[in-house]
Amino acid sequence: MSPGLLDDVFPPPVRARLEETAELLDPSLISEFDSPDAVRALASAEVLLTGWGCPPVDAGLLERAPRLRAVIHAAGTVKTFLSPAAFDRGITVSSAAAANAVPVAEYTLAAIIMGAKRVFPLAGLYRARRTHRTGADLDRQHWLGTHGLTVGVVGASRIGRRVIELLRVVLDAEVLLYDPYVGAAEAELLGVTRTDLDTLVATSDVVSVHAPDTPETRGIIDARRIGLMRPGTLLVNTARGTLVDTEALTGHLVSGRLDAVLDVTAPEPLPAGHPLWDLPNVFLTPHLAGAQGNEVGRLGALAVEELTRYARGEPFAHPVHRADLGRIA
């Protein structure tokens, strides 16, 4: 984690709490686990406080950290750097994924509202023509609006659940959910209608993707399911680009049959000449739905809260278990 990002994640009030809770090693060691100073520090380290850009915490590193008891990740997924060997060692793990879910869900809600009102194509027309819109600016089948929407949520992840919560509070929407791990009782508590994925994509005005990237979910929104979507359906993807067949989706977007708000794509970024860059019914953003700017401090605050719990001998509020690895982002 770079010094600048370190300051963002742990702004002064959070850094003060951190320093009160634990004896800190030099943070510059985070990116230099193989240096002599890092080797000496790891020999005495009890907790690793990690973040974006953390080098692998693998079996080799664990051998050099015999006193390590916990890894607290001040960011989202731990799958990109943490070896399962840590769980084999009995090391407890925590992640700030719940804190990162907040801005992603907020972005998603904004995308659903703006997309349903067809803000993006109409704003482009307005900018190009400098005249007021007319009823003929969009095909009638593409007019949506936010009243009585049916929103299909793919994946009851932390983000998916927060999106559901926001939809129930903010919009007059029926929410359909596809998640094989959610049973009828839990769906009732969430206030959603559980359904199969084919039904969800075929009957939703908006399809919002929140599943993790696993072998089972890769390409889950494939050519056949994209073809099941009704004309005018809005696809929102803030999860992983690999969940959607980009090339199959492209044909439906080029024809104008579907709309999309895509914070992630496969590949990412798209090639410079890819048609999605220039389509009026597609809004692309550079993987920014997660914590940005002052939102990043929320991750550090959660991590320090977890460190405080550890210091008190209390269990983590946001643990990551080995069994979770196969179905988390």
Side-chain angles (χ1 to χ4, degrees), residues 308-325:
T308 302
R309 290 186 184 93
Y310 175 84
R312 292 174 179 164
E314 300 170 359
F316 288 141
H318 303 280
V320 178
H321 302 291
R322 185 183 185 124
D324 298 332
L325 295 180

mmCIF file with all atom_site columns, all heavy atoms in Angstrom, residues 308-325:
data_model
loop_
_atom_site.group_PDB
_atom_site.id
_atom_site.type_symbol
_atom_site.label_atom_id
_atom_site.label_alt_id
_atom_site.label_comp_id
_atom_site.label_asym_id
_atom_site.label_entity_id
_atom_site.label_seq_id
_atom_site.pdbx_PDB_ins_code
_atom_site.Cartn_x
_atom_site.Cartn_y
_atom_site.Cartn_z
_atom_site.occupancy
_atom_site.B_iso_or_equiv
_atom_site.pdbx_formal_charge
_atom_site.auth_seq_id
_atom_site.auth_comp_id
_atom_site.auth_asym_id
_atom_site.auth_atom_id
_atom_site.pdbx_PDB_model_num
ATOM 1   N N   . THR A 1 308 ? -9.232  -3.624  17.280 1.00 0.00 ? 308 THR A N   1
ATOM 2   C CA  . THR A 1 308 ? -9.605  -3.377  18.669 1.00 0.00 ? 308 THR A CA  1
ATOM 3   C C   . THR A 1 308 ? -10.286 -4.604  19.264 1.00 0.00 ? 308 THR A C   1
ATOM 4   O O   . THR A 1 308 ? -10.017 -4.993  20.412 1.00 0.00 ? 308 THR A O   1
ATOM 5   C CB  . THR A 1 308 ? -10.538 -2.158  18.755 1.00 0.00 ? 308 THR A CB  1
ATOM 6   O OG1 . THR A 1 308 ? -9.874  -1.023  18.197 1.00 0.00 ? 308 THR A OG1 1
ATOM 7   C CG2 . THR A 1 308 ? -10.919 -1.862  20.199 1.00 0.00 ? 308 THR A CG2 1
ATOM 8   N N   . ARG A 1 309 ? -11.164 -5.229  18.499 1.00 0.00 ? 309 ARG A N   1
ATOM 9   C CA  . ARG A 1 309 ? -11.814 -6.455  18.984 1.00 0.00 ? 309 ARG A CA  1
ATOM 10  C C   . ARG A 1 309 ? -10.776 -7.545  19.254 1.00 0.00 ? 309 ARG A C   1
ATOM 11  O O   . ARG A 1 309 ? -10.836 -8.254  20.265 1.00 0.00 ? 309 ARG A O   1
ATOM 12  C CB  . ARG A 1 309 ? -12.840 -6.948  17.962 1.00 0.00 ? 309 ARG A CB  1
ATOM 13  C CG  . ARG A 1 309 ? -14.073 -6.075  17.849 1.00 0.00 ? 309 ARG A CG  1
ATOM 14  C CD  . ARG A 1 309 ? -15.118 -6.707  16.925 1.00 0.00 ? 309 ARG A CD  1
ATOM 15  N NE  . ARG A 1 309 ? -16.246 -5.805  16.755 1.00 0.00 ? 309 ARG A NE  1
ATOM 16  C CZ  . ARG A 1 309 ? -16.376 -4.926  15.767 1.00 0.00 ? 309 ARG A CZ  1
ATOM 17  N NH1 . ARG A 1 309 ? -15.442 -4.862  14.825 1.00 0.00 ? 309 ARG A NH1 1
ATOM 18  N NH2 . ARG A 1 309 ? -17.409 -4.122  15.701 1.00 0.00 ? 309 ARG A NH2 1
ATOM 19  N N   . TYR A 1 310 ? -9.825  -7.668  18.323 1.00 0.00 ? 310 TYR A N   1
ATOM 20  C CA  . TYR A 1 310 ? -8.781  -8.683  18.504 1.00 0.00 ? 310 TYR A CA  1
ATOM 21  C C   . TYR A 1 310 ? -7.990  -8.413  19.786 1.00 0.00 ? 310 TYR A C   1
ATOM 22  O O   . TYR A 1 310 ? -7.713  -9.340  20.565 1.00 0.00 ? 310 TYR A O   1
ATOM 23  C CB  . TYR A 1 310 ? -7.842  -8.684  17.297 1.00 0.00 ? 310 TYR A CB  1
ATOM 24  C CG  . TYR A 1 310 ? -6.677  -9.626  17.455 1.00 0.00 ? 310 TYR A CG  1
ATOM 25  C CD1 . TYR A 1 310 ? -6.807  -10.979 17.139 1.00 0.00 ? 310 TYR A CD1 1
ATOM 26  C CD2 . TYR A 1 310 ? -5.454  -9.174  17.944 1.00 0.00 ? 310 TYR A CD2 1
ATOM 27  C CE1 . TYR A 1 310 ? -5.741  -11.851 17.309 1.00 0.00 ? 310 TYR A CE1 1
ATOM 28  C CE2 . TYR A 1 310 ? -4.393  -10.043 18.116 1.00 0.00 ? 310 TYR A CE2 1
ATOM 29  C CZ  . TYR A 1 310 ? -4.544  -11.379 17.798 1.00 0.00 ? 310 TYR A CZ  1
ATOM 30  O OH  . TYR A 1 310 ? -3.496  -12.241 17.988 1.00 0.00 ? 310 TYR A OH  1
ATOM 31  N N   . ALA A 1 311 ? -7.634  -7.160  20.011 1.00 0.00 ? 311 ALA A N   1
ATOM 32  C CA  . ALA A 1 311 ? -6.848  -6.804  21.194 1.00 0.00 ? 311 ALA A CA  1
ATOM 33  C C   . ALA A 1 311 ? -7.610  -7.097  22.485 1.00 0.00 ? 311 ALA A C   1
ATOM 34  O O   . ALA A 1 311 ? -7.007  -7.375  23.529 1.00 0.00 ? 311 ALA A O   1
ATOM 35  C CB  . ALA A 1 311 ? -6.459  -5.326  21.131 1.00 0.00 ? 311 ALA A CB  1
ATOM 36  N N   . ARG A 1 312 ? -8.925  -7.031  22.422 1.00 0.00 ? 312 ARG A N   1
ATOM 37  C CA  . ARG A 1 312 ? -9.758  -7.316  23.598 1.00 0.00 ? 312 ARG A CA  1
ATOM 38  C C   . ARG A 1 312 ? -10.071 -8.799  23.749 1.00 0.00 ? 312 ARG A C   1
ATOM 39  O O   . ARG A 1 312 ? -10.764 -9.199  24.693 1.00 0.00 ? 312 ARG A O   1
ATOM 40  C CB  . ARG A 1 312 ? -11.081 -6.552  23.482 1.00 0.00 ? 312 ARG A CB  1
ATOM 41  C CG  . ARG A 1 312 ? -10.950 -5.050  23.602 1.00 0.00 ? 312 ARG A CG  1
ATOM 42  C CD  . ARG A 1 312 ? -12.298 -4.413  23.311 1.00 0.00 ? 312 ARG A CD  1
ATOM 43  N NE  . ARG A 1 312 ? -12.256 -2.963  23.428 1.00 0.00 ? 312 ARG A NE  1
ATOM 44  C CZ  . ARG A 1 312 ? -13.187 -2.143  22.940 1.00 0.00 ? 312 ARG A CZ  1
ATOM 45  N NH1 . ARG A 1 312 ? -14.235 -2.654  22.290 1.00 0.00 ? 312 ARG A NH1 1
ATOM 46  N NH2 . ARG A 1 312 ? -13.087 -0.851  23.088 1.00 0.00 ? 312 ARG A NH2 1
ATOM 47  N N   . GLY A 1 313 ? -9.618  -9.597  22.800 1.00 0.00 ? 313 GLY A N   1
ATOM 48  C CA  . GLY A 1 313 ? -9.923  -11.017 22.853 1.00 0.00 ? 313 GLY A CA  1
ATOM 49  C C   . GLY A 1 313 ? -11.310 -11.350 22.352 1.00 0.00 ? 313 GLY A C   1
ATOM 50  O O   . GLY A 1 313 ? -11.831 -12.440 22.619 1.00 0.00 ? 313 GLY A O   1
ATOM 51  N N   . GLU A 1 314 ? -11.919 -10.429 21.601 1.00 0.00 ? 314 GLU A N   1
ATOM 52  C CA  . GLU A 1 314 ? -13.270 -10.628 21.071 1.00 0.00 ? 314 GLU A CA  1
ATOM 53  C C   . GLU A 1 314 ? -13.204 -11.163 19.638 1.00 0.00 ? 314 GLU A C   1
ATOM 54  O O   . GLU A 1 314 ? -12.228 -10.910 18.916 1.00 0.00 ? 314 GLU A O   1
ATOM 55  C CB  . GLU A 1 314 ? -14.041 -9.311  21.085 1.00 0.00 ? 314 GLU A CB  1
ATOM 56  C CG  . GLU A 1 314 ? -14.199 -8.708  22.468 1.00 0.00 ? 314 GLU A CG  1
ATOM 57  C CD  . GLU A 1 314 ? -14.760 -7.288  22.425 1.00 0.00 ? 314 GLU A CD  1
ATOM 58  O OE1 . GLU A 1 314 ? -15.009 -6.771  21.310 1.00 0.00 ? 314 GLU A OE1 1
ATOM 59  O OE2 . GLU A 1 314 ? -14.945 -6.706  23.512 1.00 0.00 ? 314 GLU A OE2 1
ATOM 60  N N   . PRO A 1 315 ? -14.229 -11.868 19.201 1.00 0.00 ? 315 PRO A N   1
ATOM 61  C CA  . PRO A 1 315 ? -14.227 -12.350 17.809 1.00 0.00 ? 315 PRO A CA  1
ATOM 62  C C   . PRO A 1 315 ? -14.424 -11.202 16.827 1.00 0.00 ? 315 PRO A C   1
ATOM 63  O O   . PRO A 1 315 ? -14.992 -10.162 17.170 1.00 0.00 ? 315 PRO A O   1
ATOM 64  C CB  . PRO A 1 315 ? -15.425 -13.313 17.771 1.00 0.00 ? 315 PRO A CB  1
ATOM 65  C CG  . PRO A 1 315 ? -16.323 -12.852 18.877 1.00 0.00 ? 315 PRO A CG  1
ATOM 66  C CD  . PRO A 1 315 ? -15.410 -12.312 19.946 1.00 0.00 ? 315 PRO A CD  1
ATOM 67  N N   . PHE A 1 316 ? -13.956 -11.392 15.607 1.00 0.00 ? 316 PHE A N   1
ATOM 68  C CA  . PHE A 1 316 ? -14.150 -10.391 14.566 1.00 0.00 ? 316 PHE A CA  1
ATOM 69  C C   . PHE A 1 316 ? -15.638 -10.241 14.252 1.00 0.00 ? 316 PHE A C   1
ATOM 70  O O   . PHE A 1 316 ? -16.399 -11.212 14.263 1.00 0.00 ? 316 PHE A O   1
ATOM 71  C CB  . PHE A 1 316 ? -13.411 -10.787 13.284 1.00 0.00 ? 316 PHE A CB  1
ATOM 72  C CG  . PHE A 1 316 ? -11.917 -10.656 13.361 1.00 0.00 ? 316 PHE A CG  1
ATOM 73  C CD1 . PHE A 1 316 ? -11.098 -11.612 12.763 1.00 0.00 ? 316 PHE A CD1 1
ATOM 74  C CD2 . PHE A 1 316 ? -11.325 -9.579  13.997 1.00 0.00 ? 316 PHE A CD2 1
ATOM 75  C CE1 . PHE A 1 316 ? -9.718  -11.483 12.805 1.00 0.00 ? 316 PHE A CE1 1
ATOM 76  C CE2 . PHE A 1 316 ? -9.946  -9.441  14.050 1.00 0.00 ? 316 PHE A CE2 1
ATOM 77  C CZ  . PHE A 1 316 ? -9.145  -10.400 13.459 1.00 0.00 ? 316 PHE A CZ  1
ATOM 78  N N   . ALA A 1 317 ? -16.039 -9.016  13.922 1.00 0.00 ? 317 ALA A N   1
ATOM 79  C CA  . ALA A 1 317 ? -17.403 -8.765  13.456 1.00 0.00 ? 317 ALA A CA  1
ATOM 80  C C   . ALA A 1 317 ? -17.544 -9.096  11.977 1.00 0.00 ? 317 ALA A C   1
ATOM 81  O O   . ALA A 1 317 ? -18.657 -9.320  11.489 1.00 0.00 ? 317 ALA A O   1
ATOM 82  C CB  . ALA A 1 317 ? -17.789 -7.316  13.713 1.00 0.00 ? 317 ALA A CB  1
ATOM 83  N N   . HIS A 1 318 ? -16.413 -9.094  11.246 1.00 0.00 ? 318 HIS A N   1
ATOM 84  C CA  . HIS A 1 318 ? -16.444 -9.329  9.807  1.00 0.00 ? 318 HIS A CA  1
ATOM 85  C C   . HIS A 1 318 ? -15.421 -10.405 9.431  1.00 0.00 ? 318 HIS A C   1
ATOM 86  O O   . HIS A 1 318 ? -14.482 -10.149 8.667  1.00 0.00 ? 318 HIS A O   1
ATOM 87  C CB  . HIS A 1 318 ? -16.156 -8.023  9.061  1.00 0.00 ? 318 HIS A CB  1
ATOM 88  C CG  . HIS A 1 318 ? -17.095 -6.927  9.404  1.00 0.00 ? 318 HIS A CG  1
ATOM 89  N ND1 . HIS A 1 318 ? -18.357 -6.822  8.853  1.00 0.00 ? 318 HIS A ND1 1
ATOM 90  C CD2 . HIS A 1 318 ? -16.972 -5.888  10.279 1.00 0.00 ? 318 HIS A CD2 1
ATOM 91  C CE1 . HIS A 1 318 ? -18.963 -5.764  9.350  1.00 0.00 ? 318 HIS A CE1 1
ATOM 92  N NE2 . HIS A 1 318 ? -18.159 -5.188  10.216 1.00 0.00 ? 318 HIS A NE2 1
ATOM 93  N N   . PRO A 1 319 ? -15.603 -11.618 9.938  1.00 0.00 ? 319 PRO A N   1
ATOM 94  C CA  . PRO A 1 319 ? -14.617 -12.673 9.673  1.00 0.00 ? 319 PRO A CA  1
ATOM 95  C C   . PRO A 1 319 ? -14.728 -13.213 8.255  1.00 0.00 ? 319 PRO A C   1
ATOM 96  O O   . PRO A 1 319 ? -15.781 -13.149 7.616  1.00 0.00 ? 319 PRO A O   1
ATOM 97  C CB  . PRO A 1 319 ? -14.999 -13.752 10.700 1.00 0.00 ? 319 PRO A CB  1
ATOM 98  C CG  . PRO A 1 319 ? -16.484 -13.580 10.866 1.00 0.00 ? 319 PRO A CG  1
ATOM 99  C CD  . PRO A 1 319 ? -16.721 -12.093 10.776 1.00 0.00 ? 319 PRO A CD  1
ATOM 100 N N   . VAL A 1 320 ? -13.615 -13.737 7.779  1.00 0.00 ? 320 VAL A N   1
ATOM 101 C CA  . VAL A 1 320 ? -13.597 -14.507 6.534  1.00 0.00 ? 320 VAL A CA  1
ATOM 102 C C   . VAL A 1 320 ? -13.188 -15.923 6.912  1.00 0.00 ? 320 VAL A C   1
ATOM 103 O O   . VAL A 1 320 ? -12.140 -16.133 7.526  1.00 0.00 ? 320 VAL A O   1
ATOM 104 C CB  . VAL A 1 320 ? -12.587 -13.931 5.521  1.00 0.00 ? 320 VAL A CB  1
ATOM 105 C CG1 . VAL A 1 320 ? -12.573 -14.781 4.262  1.00 0.00 ? 320 VAL A CG1 1
ATOM 106 C CG2 . VAL A 1 320 ? -12.913 -12.481 5.196  1.00 0.00 ? 320 VAL A CG2 1
ATOM 107 N N   . HIS A 1 321 ? -14.025 -16.894 6.569  1.00 0.00 ? 321 HIS A N   1
ATOM 108 C CA  . HIS A 1 321 ? -13.753 -18.290 6.883  1.00 0.00 ? 321 HIS A CA  1
ATOM 109 C C   . HIS A 1 321 ? -13.280 -19.019 5.624  1.00 0.00 ? 321 HIS A C   1
ATOM 110 O O   . HIS A 1 321 ? -13.612 -18.636 4.508  1.00 0.00 ? 321 HIS A O   1
ATOM 111 C CB  . HIS A 1 321 ? -15.006 -18.966 7.427  1.00 0.00 ? 321 HIS A CB  1
ATOM 112 C CG  . HIS A 1 321 ? -15.568 -18.298 8.657  1.00 0.00 ? 321 HIS A CG  1
ATOM 113 N ND1 . HIS A 1 321 ? -14.924 -18.319 9.866  1.00 0.00 ? 321 HIS A ND1 1
ATOM 114 C CD2 . HIS A 1 321 ? -16.707 -17.567 8.841  1.00 0.00 ? 321 HIS A CD2 1
ATOM 115 C CE1 . HIS A 1 321 ? -15.644 -17.652 10.757 1.00 0.00 ? 321 HIS A CE1 1
ATOM 116 N NE2 . HIS A 1 321 ? -16.721 -17.175 10.155 1.00 0.00 ? 321 HIS A NE2 1
ATOM 117 N N   . ARG A 1 322 ? -12.535 -20.050 5.851  1.00 0.00 ? 322 ARG A N   1
ATOM 118 C CA  . ARG A 1 322 ? -12.029 -20.809 4.703  1.00 0.00 ? 322 ARG A CA  1
ATOM 119 C C   . ARG A 1 322 ? -13.173 -21.299 3.806  1.00 0.00 ? 322 ARG A C   1
ATOM 120 O O   . ARG A 1 322 ? -13.064 -21.293 2.580  1.00 0.00 ? 322 ARG A O   1
ATOM 121 C CB  . ARG A 1 322 ? -11.194 -21.996 5.179  1.00 0.00 ? 322 ARG A CB  1
ATOM 122 C CG  . ARG A 1 322 ? -10.551 -22.748 4.020  1.00 0.00 ? 322 ARG A CG  1
ATOM 123 C CD  . ARG A 1 322 ? -9.791  -23.963 4.442  1.00 0.00 ? 322 ARG A CD  1
ATOM 124 N NE  . ARG A 1 322 ? -9.103  -24.547 3.290  1.00 0.00 ? 322 ARG A NE  1
ATOM 125 C CZ  . ARG A 1 322 ? -7.818  -24.780 3.226  1.00 0.00 ? 322 ARG A CZ  1
ATOM 126 N NH1 . ARG A 1 322 ? -7.047  -24.453 4.241  1.00 0.00 ? 322 ARG A NH1 1
ATOM 127 N NH2 . ARG A 1 322 ? -7.278  -25.312 2.154  1.00 0.00 ? 322 ARG A NH2 1
ATOM 128 N N   . ALA A 1 323 ? -14.266 -21.690 4.436  1.00 0.00 ? 323 ALA A N   1
ATOM 129 C CA  . ALA A 1 323 ? -15.408 -22.191 3.659  1.00 0.00 ? 323 ALA A CA  1
ATOM 130 C C   . ALA A 1 323 ? -16.019 -21.120 2.764  1.00 0.00 ? 323 ALA A C   1
ATOM 131 O O   . ALA A 1 323 ? -16.735 -21.434 1.813  1.00 0.00 ? 323 ALA A O   1
ATOM 132 C CB  . ALA A 1 323 ? -16.471 -22.745 4.610  1.00 0.00 ? 323 ALA A CB  1
ATOM 133 N N   . ASP A 1 324 ? -15.741 -19.850 3.085  1.00 0.00 ? 324 ASP A N   1
ATOM 134 C CA  . ASP A 1 324 ? -16.289 -18.751 2.283  1.00 0.00 ? 324 ASP A CA  1
ATOM 135 C C   . ASP A 1 324 ? -15.560 -18.561 0.963  1.00 0.00 ? 324 ASP A C   1
ATOM 136 O O   . ASP A 1 324 ? -16.096 -17.927 0.043  1.00 0.00 ? 324 ASP A O   1
ATOM 137 C CB  . ASP A 1 324 ? -16.201 -17.409 3.046  1.00 0.00 ? 324 ASP A CB  1
ATOM 138 C CG  . ASP A 1 324 ? -17.004 -17.426 4.333  1.00 0.00 ? 324 ASP A CG  1
ATOM 139 O OD1 . ASP A 1 324 ? -17.999 -18.166 4.395  1.00 0.00 ? 324 ASP A OD1 1
ATOM 140 O OD2 . ASP A 1 324 ? -16.633 -16.670 5.263  1.00 0.00 ? 324 ASP A OD2 1
ATOM 141 N N   . LEU A 1 325 ? -14.333 -19.049 0.859  1.00 0.00 ? 325 LEU A N   1
ATOM 142 C CA  . LEU A 1 325 ? -13.470 -18.668 -0.265 1.00 0.00 ? 325 LEU A CA  1
ATOM 143 C C   . LEU A 1 325 ? -14.060 -19.056 -1.611 1.00 0.00 ? 325 LEU A C   1
ATOM 144 O O   . LEU A 1 325 ? -13.842 -18.359 -2.604 1.00 0.00 ? 325 LEU A O   1
ATOM 145 C CB  . LEU A 1 325 ? -12.079 -19.308 -0.103 1.00 0.00 ? 325 LEU A CB  1
ATOM 146 C CG  . LEU A 1 325 ? -11.257 -18.822 1.100  1.00 0.00 ? 325 LEU A CG  1
ATOM 147 C CD1 . LEU A 1 325 ? -9.914  -19.543 1.136  1.00 0.00 ? 325 LEU A CD1 1
ATOM 148 C CD2 . LEU A 1 325 ? -11.047 -17.303 1.049  1.00 0.00 ? 325 LEU A CD2 1
#
